[in-house]
Amino acid sequence: PRTTDHDNNSWSSCVRIVDAANAETLCVEEIKNNERVVSITHAYFTKADEVLLVVGSAKNFVLQPRDCDGGMIRCYRYKRGSSNGETNGKSGGSKTITGLELVHETVCEGAPFAMRNFEGKLLVGVDDVLRMYDFGKKKLLRKSECAQKFPSFINSIRCSGDRFFVTDACESVFFVKFIREEECSMHIFADDVAPRYVTAMLPLDRD
């Protein structure tokens, strides 16, 4: 995403698919309506039985003080071309990517800064809320939400079994327990002893 020198609240974003072998652009998907792309990931959804490209964006995003008019989570399917020029909408295979097909959009109340695939579903950090979505025909379906909110906003999520490592941008790392037996509930059970600004996080082991 980019903004102009004269208006820090004007955004122009796109999703560009590049062939890593020759640095050739295969397709470009413009994100309009003054939305800033804030996250992107691949996610396998059990209900859809395919891997989709998921893009999170924030509308009318303001850097300082941080604010936006809600967010959007878009699910895309890769369109692939065959040797005879035909296209196949199902993601997968080794055919050349020719474009992106929008599957559906899901509106959320805040910016989805962090996303992570988890057991056929999608974990999303929507501002200060950790939420789990499942695939639906017209949009993503909200399945579960962490019982506690985070201090600032979630900027990274990692998974290890039924344990989630979640970072808050201003308050370091939180450990979240996923309990399937309690209707897929999520609870914070540990956090860092000192607040730290976090830019990146990678768990090296479970404990």
Side-chain angles (χ1 to χ4, degrees), residues 73 112 114-116 122-126 129-133 157:
I73 304 172
M115 299 188 294
R116 176 66 54 175
L122 184 69
L123 283 169
V124 183
V126 181
V129 176
L130 179 63
R131 188 173 294 158
M132 183 180 294
Y133 287 96
I157 304 169

Side-chain angles (χ1 to χ4, degrees), residues 82-197:
S82 60
S83 56
N84 57 10
E86 297 178 354
T87 59
N88 177 15
K90 193 76 171 180
S91 296
S94 58
K95 297 177 181 178
T96 303
I97 296 173
T98 59
L100 293 173
E101 173 190 351
L102 179 64
V103 178
H104 52 48
E105 301 175 335
T106 304
V107 177
C108 48
E109 71 278 10
F113 281 105
M115 299 188 294
R116 176 66 54 175
N117 197 202
F118 175 72
E119 296 184 355
K121 297 179 178 61
L122 184 69
L123 283 169
V124 183
V126 181
D127 281 341
D128 58 353
V129 176
L130 179 63
R131 188 173 294 158
M132 183 180 294
Y133 287 96
D134 202 353
F135 187 83
K137 291 183 178 180
K138 296 183 178 180
K139 64 177 182 178
L140 295 177
L141 306 176
R142 189 185 303 185
K143 302 299 291 184
S144 178
E145 189 170 297
C146 186
Q148 304 96 341
K149 290 189 176 182
F150 291 77
S152 178
F153 69 92
I154 298 168
N155 63 351
S156 183
I157 304 169
R158 296 290 186 270
C159 305
S160 177
D162 59 357
R163 182 177 297 178
F164 306 149
F165 305 92
V166 182
T167 58
D168 181 274
C170 303
E171 297 286 340
S172 196
V173 182
F174 293 78
F175 283 26
V176 179
K177 178 74 172 180
F178 176 61
I179 307 175
R180 296 176 178 84
E181 294 77 11
E182 297 181 8
E183 298 182 351
C184 300
S185 63
M186 294 181 283
H187 302 273
I188 297 173
F189 69 90
D191 59 9
D192 199 349
V193 295
R196 293 179 173 87
Y197 288 97

